Structures are given as structure tokens and as C-alpha cells.
Amino acid sequence: RFFMFFVFGISQGKKALEYAKTVICAQCGGYGRYQVFMTYSYFSLFFIPIIKWNRHYYVQMSCCSTIYELDQEVGRRLAHGEQPDITEKDLTLVQAGRRVSGWNRKRCENCGYETEEDFEYCPKCGTKL
């Protein structure tokens, strides 16, 4: 007798896309980078992805983790290696993030510079924080 086994399945995947742009975040007001990624569903046969569908493109802010859905056409262009300019009109808010502030904010007594970073000395004037 001859037995044949097929190993197949349907799964979800996530892929980071190359994109470099620093902006002032509309949610938290801090400087942040766009971190672009694509989610998709795929059918695999013997652990090899065969077909991908249901692609969605997202932008996550590095400053506060706010997530936006990216316009499909702009996302497709990024996935194909182009570098289109992502503007606010290309983004739809999915989940607002939160920037940690208040309790860990440091203020320089000498020059007034404020930061949430864990600096021992003020990066502006060099005074110990």
C-alpha cells in the first residue's frame, strides 16, 4: 500500500516594508518615524507559501505606537520597492497610542530643556539632570 500525506494550511503573515520618514506625530506631538508593514493571509503547501491574499498596509508611529491603515495604492507601491511620499490623507486612524509622559519627564534646572529620555546630563547645556 502507498500512503500520501499532504501538509497544507492557511495562516496570517506580517512583513515590514522599507520606508524612512520622520514626522511630528498628530497624536502625541512628538517626533516619530513611520514604521510601515503589511499583513496578509496565505495558503501554504508543505510549509511553502503558495498564494497570498487579503493584504492590508499599516503605519505604526515609533513615538507612541499609534497605528494607521495606509491607503492600498500607496502600500502596493511601497511593497513593489517604490518610495512614495506618505501624507496624512493616506492614513486612517486604527488605534491611538499613548506616549509615556509626566512622571518620567526631566527638566534641566539650568536651561529649561525638557526630555523623557534617560539622560544623566542635559544634551543642550551639559548640566547634570
Side-chain angles (χ1 to χ4, degrees), residues 32-97:
R33 247 182 333 100
Y34 285 162
Q35 299 169 323
V36 184
F37 62 94
M38 172 181 71
T39 61
Y40 55 91
S41 299
Y42 66 94
F43 174 78
S44 61
L45 182 62
F46 294 108
F47 307 106
I48 299 170
I50 304 296
I51 301 169
K52 290 181 185 177
W53 72 92
N54 199 25
R55 289 178 174 96
H56 291 278
Y57 303 93
Y58 296 95
V59 171
Q60 184 170 16
M61 296 302 299
S62 65
C63 52
C64 64
S65 298
T66 295
I67 299 176
Y68 298 95
E69 185 160 10
L70 180 61
D71 178 75
Q72 286 281 52
E73 183 55 36
V74 176
R76 278 190 208 104
R77 290 176 58 199
L78 271 169
H80 287 99
E82 295 179 42
Q83 289 293 307
D85 187 38
I86 296 175
T87 63
E88 285 189 39
K89 70 175 181 61
D90 299 322
L91 303 173
T92 304
L93 182 64
V94 172
Q95 179 181 343

XYZ file of all heavy atoms in Angstrom, residues 32-97:
553
model
N 8.486 61.288 15.466
C 8.375 59.845 15.308
C 8.682 59.438 13.883
O 8.669 60.254 12.965
N 8.959 58.156 13.726
C 9.227 57.583 12.414
C 8.040 56.728 11.992
O 7.414 56.077 12.830
C 10.466 56.664 12.510
C 11.649 57.132 11.766
C 12.852 56.191 11.838
N 12.948 55.354 13.019
C 12.589 54.071 13.077
N 12.093 53.473 12.037
N 12.720 53.389 14.189
N 7.760 56.743 10.699
C 6.754 55.836 10.153
C 7.375 54.449 10.057
O 8.404 54.274 9.415
C 6.326 56.264 8.752
C 5.404 57.465 8.672
C 5.260 58.136 7.477
C 4.679 57.905 9.764
C 4.410 59.231 7.368
C 3.827 58.992 9.669
C 3.696 59.645 8.464
O 2.856 60.719 8.365
N 6.766 53.460 10.697
C 7.176 52.071 10.574
C 6.071 51.381 9.792
O 4.982 51.183 10.303
C 7.367 51.445 11.953
C 8.447 52.145 12.762
C 8.483 51.729 14.217
O 7.458 51.495 14.835
N 9.677 51.653 14.762
N 6.340 51.050 8.533
C 5.324 50.538 7.625
C 5.407 49.015 7.572
O 6.492 48.449 7.504
C 5.506 51.127 6.207
C 4.391 50.665 5.294
C 5.543 52.651 6.267
N 4.231 48.378 7.626
C 4.198 46.920 7.494
C 2.935 46.485 6.770
O 1.966 47.231 6.663
C 4.325 46.229 8.862
C 3.206 46.527 9.833
C 2.110 45.684 9.935
C 3.266 47.642 10.664
C 1.094 45.945 10.843
C 2.258 47.915 11.573
C 1.164 47.060 11.668
N 2.988 45.262 6.266
C 1.877 44.681 5.527
C 1.433 43.420 6.258
O 2.275 42.647 6.727
C 2.331 44.321 4.111
C 1.323 43.529 3.311
S 1.908 43.081 1.644
C 3.153 41.863 2.000
N 0.123 43.214 6.381
C -0.412 41.957 6.889
C -1.111 41.256 5.736
O -1.606 41.909 4.808
C -1.398 42.166 8.056
O -2.500 42.939 7.596
C -0.724 42.858 9.232
N -1.158 39.936 5.781
C -1.763 39.179 4.692
C -2.135 37.787 5.182
O -1.654 37.310 6.212
C -0.814 39.080 3.499
C 0.540 38.514 3.840
C 0.792 37.144 3.755
C 1.567 39.335 4.269
C 2.030 36.623 4.090
C 2.807 38.827 4.607
C 3.029 37.461 4.509
O 4.255 36.945 4.854
N -3.009 37.117 4.427
C -3.336 35.715 4.645
C -2.658 34.925 3.537
O -2.468 35.442 2.436
C -4.839 35.490 4.575
O -5.496 36.240 5.572
N -2.278 33.686 3.833
C -1.645 32.875 2.787
C -1.968 31.400 2.947
O -2.235 30.910 4.040
C -0.133 33.103 2.749
C 0.625 32.624 3.966
C 1.202 31.352 4.005
C 0.785 33.444 5.075
C 1.901 30.918 5.113
C 1.484 33.021 6.176
C 2.042 31.756 6.202
O 2.735 31.322 7.298
N -1.964 30.722 1.815
C -2.149 29.272 1.741
C -0.779 28.656 1.518
O -0.032 29.093 0.635
C -3.082 28.916 0.573
C -3.196 27.439 0.341
C -4.008 26.658 1.161
C -2.503 26.826 -0.685
C -4.105 25.299 0.952
C -2.597 25.464 -0.893
C -3.409 24.691 -0.088
N -0.438 27.663 2.344
C 0.869 27.020 2.176
C 0.676 25.524 1.934
O -0.244 24.895 2.451
C 1.751 27.253 3.405
O 1.156 26.709 4.554
N 1.567 24.983 1.142
C 1.601 23.560 0.845
C 3.000 23.074 1.185
O 3.987 23.615 0.673
C 1.283 23.329 -0.642
C 1.235 21.885 -1.114
C 0.131 21.122 -0.391
C 0.988 21.847 -2.616
N 3.092 22.100 2.079
C 4.387 21.624 2.585
C 5.209 22.792 3.125
O 6.391 22.915 2.859
C 5.162 20.858 1.512
C 4.506 19.582 1.104
C 3.904 19.477 -0.138
C 4.462 18.504 1.964
C 3.289 18.300 -0.523
C 3.838 17.322 1.579
C 3.253 17.219 0.336
N 4.556 23.685 3.876
C 5.170 24.830 4.549
C 5.732 25.886 3.593
O 6.488 26.752 4.004
C 6.262 24.365 5.529
C 5.767 23.326 6.487
C 6.131 22.006 6.349
C 4.916 23.689 7.521
C 5.663 21.039 7.235
C 4.443 22.733 8.414
C 4.819 21.402 8.261
N 5.368 25.823 2.327
C 5.799 26.820 1.343
C 4.588 27.680 0.976
O 3.586 27.143 0.507
C 6.375 26.145 0.073
C 7.580 25.304 0.444
C 6.729 27.192 -0.979
C 8.081 24.417 -0.677
N 4.661 29.004 1.216
C 3.527 29.867 0.849
C 3.283 29.816 -0.660
O 4.201 30.014 -1.445
C 3.972 31.262 1.275
C 5.122 31.060 2.204
C 5.743 29.756 1.831
N 2.052 29.540 -1.043
C 1.702 29.421 -2.462
C 0.917 30.644 -2.934
O 1.241 31.240 -3.946
C 0.858 28.140 -2.712
C 1.589 26.896 -2.216
C 0.494 28.010 -4.182
C 2.891 26.591 -2.932
N -0.105 31.022 -2.186
C -0.981 32.126 -2.585
C -1.145 33.094 -1.408
O -1.382 32.662 -0.288
C -2.380 31.607 -2.993
C -2.273 30.631 -4.156
C -3.300 32.755 -3.358
C -3.566 29.899 -4.435
N -1.030 34.407 -1.680
C -1.273 35.439 -0.664
C -2.510 36.235 -1.069
O -2.718 36.508 -2.242
C -0.084 36.396 -0.561
C 1.159 35.793 0.031
C 2.264 36.828 0.114
C 3.550 36.202 0.597
N 4.653 37.170 0.623
N -3.302 36.630 -0.085
C -4.462 37.483 -0.335
C -4.764 38.306 0.922
O -4.094 38.151 1.931
C -5.677 36.645 -0.768
C -6.298 35.834 0.324
C -7.319 36.223 1.138
C -5.938 34.522 0.741
N -7.612 35.229 2.032
C -6.786 34.171 1.801
C -4.992 33.600 0.321
C -6.711 32.951 2.452
C -4.909 32.381 0.962
C -5.765 32.070 2.005
N -5.762 39.162 0.820
C -6.206 39.980 1.939
C -5.074 40.859 2.491
O -4.863 40.947 3.689
C -6.797 39.087 3.041
C -7.666 39.875 3.995
O -8.204 40.915 3.643
N -7.806 39.379 5.200
N -4.358 41.507 1.588
C -3.252 42.376 2.010
C -3.787 43.695 2.557
O -4.674 44.314 1.972
C -2.337 42.663 0.817
C -1.531 41.482 0.362
C -0.685 41.860 -0.855
N 0.200 40.800 -1.245
C -0.059 39.906 -2.195
N -1.197 39.968 -2.845
N 0.817 38.962 -2.483
N -3.238 44.100 3.691
C -3.538 45.400 4.286
C -2.213 46.032 4.677
O -1.291 45.343 5.128
C -4.433 45.264 5.518
C -5.815 44.820 5.193
N -6.788 45.684 4.759
C -6.384 43.594 5.222
C -7.894 45.015 4.540
N -7.679 43.738 4.811
N -2.131 47.335 4.537
C -0.894 48.066 4.815
C -1.136 49.007 5.986
O -2.173 49.668 6.065
C -0.456 48.849 3.569
C -0.275 47.947 2.372
C -1.309 47.729 1.479
C 0.931 47.295 2.152
C -1.153 46.885 0.400
C 1.101 46.452 1.068
C 0.051 46.253 0.196
O 0.214 45.413 -0.870
N -0.162 49.062 6.895
C -0.306 49.864 8.107
C 0.956 50.680 8.360
O 2.044 50.315 7.933
C -0.555 48.970 9.325
C -1.852 48.211 9.241
C -1.876 46.912 8.744
C -3.051 48.785 9.648
C -3.065 46.205 8.652
C -4.246 48.085 9.566
C -4.243 46.795 9.064
O -5.422 46.105 8.972
N 0.760 51.762 9.105
C 1.869 52.600 9.569
C 1.756 52.662 11.081
O 0.685 52.977 11.612
C 1.786 54.029 8.979
C 2.809 54.941 9.634
C 1.974 53.996 7.471
N 2.852 52.346 11.768
C 2.893 52.482 13.220
C 3.906 53.559 13.561
O 5.017 53.566 13.027
C 3.273 51.166 13.888
C 3.234 51.255 15.396
C 3.366 49.899 16.061
O 3.763 48.921 15.449
N 3.020 49.848 17.335
N 3.535 54.471 14.440
C 4.416 55.552 14.845
C 5.418 55.033 15.876
O 5.030 54.334 16.809
C 3.622 56.715 15.439
C 2.679 57.396 14.462
S 3.514 58.059 13.006
C 4.634 59.229 13.756
N 6.681 55.391 15.716
C 7.712 54.936 16.647
C 7.627 55.647 17.991
O 8.082 55.119 19.001
C 9.098 55.141 16.038
O 9.350 56.513 15.857
N 7.010 56.829 18.030
C 6.980 57.635 19.259
C 5.923 57.172 20.248
O 6.161 57.154 21.447
C 6.779 59.103 18.911
S 5.370 59.395 17.829
N 4.736 56.804 19.765
C 3.633 56.494 20.681
C 2.869 55.229 20.300
O 1.863 54.914 20.912
C 2.666 57.673 20.756
S 1.839 58.040 19.191
N 3.316 54.539 19.267
C 2.715 53.278 18.802
C 1.319 53.431 18.207
O 0.590 52.454 18.095
C 2.695 52.228 19.910
O 4.009 51.927 20.311
N 0.923 54.651 17.836
C -0.341 54.844 17.134
C -0.286 54.079 15.812
O 0.740 54.058 15.142
C -0.591 56.344 16.860
O -0.760 57.000 18.120
C -1.823 56.579 16.012
N -1.400 53.431 15.449
C -1.452 52.652 14.214
C -2.476 53.260 13.267
O -3.604 53.569 13.664
C -1.811 51.180 14.503
C -0.737 50.556 15.395
C -1.972 50.398 13.205
C -1.035 49.142 15.827
N -2.049 53.428 12.009
C -2.908 53.920 10.936
C -2.978 52.865 9.843
O -1.993 52.161 9.598
C -2.324 55.181 10.294
C -2.189 56.360 11.210
C -0.991 56.616 11.870
C -3.249 57.242 11.396
C -0.846 57.719 12.705
C -3.111 58.348 12.230
C -1.910 58.573 12.876
O -1.776 59.660 13.693
N -4.133 52.771 9.174
C -4.185 51.962 7.958
C -3.743 52.867 6.820
O -4.156 54.015 6.728
C -5.580 51.416 7.692
C -5.587 50.486 6.487
C -6.776 49.543 6.436
O -7.714 49.709 7.235
O -6.760 48.658 5.578
N -2.879 52.338 5.971
C -2.320 53.080 4.850
C -3.148 52.822 3.600
O -3.623 51.700 3.379
C -0.869 52.635 4.628
C -0.071 53.287 3.507
C 0.059 54.788 3.724
C 1.306 52.643 3.415
N -3.317 53.852 2.793
C -4.026 53.725 1.521
C -3.464 52.539 0.735
O -2.242 52.383 0.630
C -3.857 55.026 0.726
C -4.513 54.956 -0.628
O -5.750 55.037 -0.688
O -3.771 54.795 -1.623
N -4.351 51.711 0.175
C -3.938 50.484 -0.525
C -2.964 50.747 -1.672
O -1.991 50.022 -1.846
C -5.156 49.730 -1.074
C -5.967 49.024 -0.022
C -5.349 47.716 0.406
O -4.176 47.637 0.760
N -6.154 46.673 0.401
N -3.229 51.759 -2.455
C -2.369 52.039 -3.613
C -0.966 52.456 -3.166
O 0.030 52.024 -3.734
C -2.993 53.121 -4.500
C -2.205 53.407 -5.761
C -1.950 52.177 -6.624
O -2.829 51.294 -6.698
O -0.847 52.078 -7.215
N -0.883 53.296 -2.144
C 0.426 53.713 -1.618
C 1.149 52.499 -1.048
O 2.349 52.303 -1.266
C 0.266 54.821 -0.557
C 1.599 55.180 0.067
C -0.394 56.050 -1.166
N 0.420 51.636 -0.342
C 1.009 50.416 0.209
C 1.537 49.482 -0.869
O 2.631 48.927 -0.753
N 0.771 49.313 -1.941
C 1.228 48.450 -3.061
C 2.508 48.995 -3.674
O 3.419 48.237 -4.003
C 0.138 48.365 -4.133
C -0.921 47.371 -3.841
C -1.833 47.159 -5.061
N -3.130 46.756 -4.577
C -4.199 47.524 -4.517
N -4.171 48.771 -4.942
N -5.328 47.068 -4.040
N 2.562 50.309 -3.835
C 3.771 50.918 -4.415
C 4.981 50.670 -3.512
O 6.067 50.364 -4.001
C 3.541 52.410 -4.629
C 2.546 52.683 -5.770
C 2.238 54.138 -5.940
N 3.438 54.919 -6.193
C 3.507 56.226 -6.031
N 2.452 56.907 -5.621
N 4.627 56.867 -6.276
N 4.795 50.795 -2.204
C 5.890 50.510 -1.270
C 6.323 49.047 -1.345
O 7.508 48.739 -1.342
C 5.449 50.817 0.165
C 5.673 52.219 0.659
C 4.960 52.433 1.976
C 7.147 52.499 0.809
N 5.350 48.146 -1.406
C 5.651 46.710 -1.473
C 6.418 46.354 -2.746
O 7.175 45.388 -2.764
C 4.364 45.899 -1.391
N 6.232 47.153 -3.804
C 6.941 46.908 -5.064
C 8.270 47.655 -5.150
O 8.860 47.753 -6.220
C 6.042 47.265 -6.254
C 4.956 46.266 -6.468
N 3.675 46.478 -6.018
C 4.972 45.027 -7.036
C 2.939 45.426 -6.318
N 3.698 44.534 -6.924
N 8.721 48.227 -4.034
C 10.041 48.851 -3.998
C 10.086 50.330 -4.299
O 11.157 50.926 -4.275
N 8.955 50.939 -4.594
C 8.932 52.388 -4.818
C 8.985 53.094 -3.465
O 8.771 52.476 -2.425
C 7.652 52.791 -5.555
C 7.541 52.245 -6.964
C 6.235 52.674 -7.624
O 5.843 53.858 -7.455
O 5.612 51.836 -8.285
N 9.249 54.387 -3.474
C 9.282 55.187 -2.254
C 8.338 56.387 -2.372
O 8.784 57.538 -2.402
C 10.717 55.656 -1.961
C 11.649 54.557 -1.501
C 11.260 54.021 -0.126
O 11.100 54.762 0.832
N 11.105 52.717 -0.051
N 7.013 56.151 -2.414
C 6.085 57.274 -2.497
C 6.078 58.057 -1.190
O 6.418 57.523 -0.133
C 4.731 56.591 -2.723
C 4.887 55.256 -2.080
C 6.327 54.870 -2.298
N 5.695 59.317 -1.253
C 5.607 60.145 -0.065
C 4.286 59.835 0.639
O 3.219 59.943 0.043
C 5.679 61.630 -0.439
C 5.766 62.532 0.778
O 6.455 62.133 1.746
O 5.162 63.609 0.749
N 4.334 59.435 1.896
C 3.125 59.165 2.664
C 2.688 60.476 3.317
O 3.457 61.117 4.020
C 3.379 58.094 3.742
C 3.739 56.762 3.094
C 2.145 57.932 4.628
C 4.122 55.679 4.087
N 1.442 60.866 3.051
C 0.897 62.089 3.626
C -0.244 61.726 4.587
O -0.704 60.579 4.595
C 0.366 63.031 2.531
O -0.712 62.379 1.848
C 1.464 63.394 1.537
N -0.696 62.704 5.364
C -1.775 62.455 6.318
C -3.057 61.981 5.649
O -3.818 61.218 6.229
C -2.041 63.705 7.161
C -0.985 63.929 8.217
C -1.355 65.028 9.193
O -2.547 65.117 9.578
O -0.453 65.794 9.555
N -3.303 62.407 4.411
C -4.534 61.980 3.718
C -4.488 60.500 3.334
O -5.519 59.897 3.071
C -4.812 62.847 2.499
C -3.860 62.665 1.342
C -4.301 63.500 0.139
C -3.391 63.312 -1.034
N -3.316 61.967 -1.553
N -3.294 59.888 3.341
C -3.143 58.467 3.035
C -3.365 57.583 4.258
O -3.353 56.357 4.149
C -1.726 58.176 2.496
C -1.416 58.929 1.220
O -2.332 59.068 0.379
O -0.265 59.387 1.064
N -3.553 58.196 5.445
C -3.637 57.453 6.695
C -5.024 57.530 7.314
O -5.633 58.592 7.361
C -2.619 58.005 7.701
C -1.160 58.007 7.248
C -0.300 58.742 8.270
C -0.654 56.597 7.033
N -5.518 56.388 7.810
C -6.781 56.314 8.536
C -6.475 55.736 9.919
O -5.926 54.635 10.023
C -7.788 55.394 7.806
O -7.965 55.866 6.474
C -9.120 55.364 8.528
N -6.830 56.465 10.966
C -6.532 56.046 12.330
C -7.220 54.720 12.653
O -8.411 54.563 12.441
C -6.975 57.119 13.327
C -6.682 56.841 14.797
C -5.180 56.767 15.050
C -7.322 57.907 15.675
N -6.431 53.770 13.155
C -6.959 52.476 13.579
C -6.940 52.387 15.104
O -7.914 51.987 15.721
C -6.128 51.312 12.981
C -6.547 49.975 13.560
C -6.224 51.294 11.471
N -5.813 52.764 15.697
C -5.677 52.679 17.148
C -4.733 53.768 17.635
O -3.580 53.814 17.230
C -5.131 51.305 17.539
C -4.923 51.118 19.008
C -4.366 49.744 19.329
O -4.428 48.835 18.526
N -3.810 49.597 20.503
N -5.236 54.631 18.502
C -4.395 55.694 19.062
C -3.456 55.097 20.093
O -3.847 54.245 20.884
C -5.254 56.779 19.697
N -2.221 55.528 20.049
C -1.237 55.064 21.017
C -1.152 56.037 22.171
O -1.881 57.025 22.230
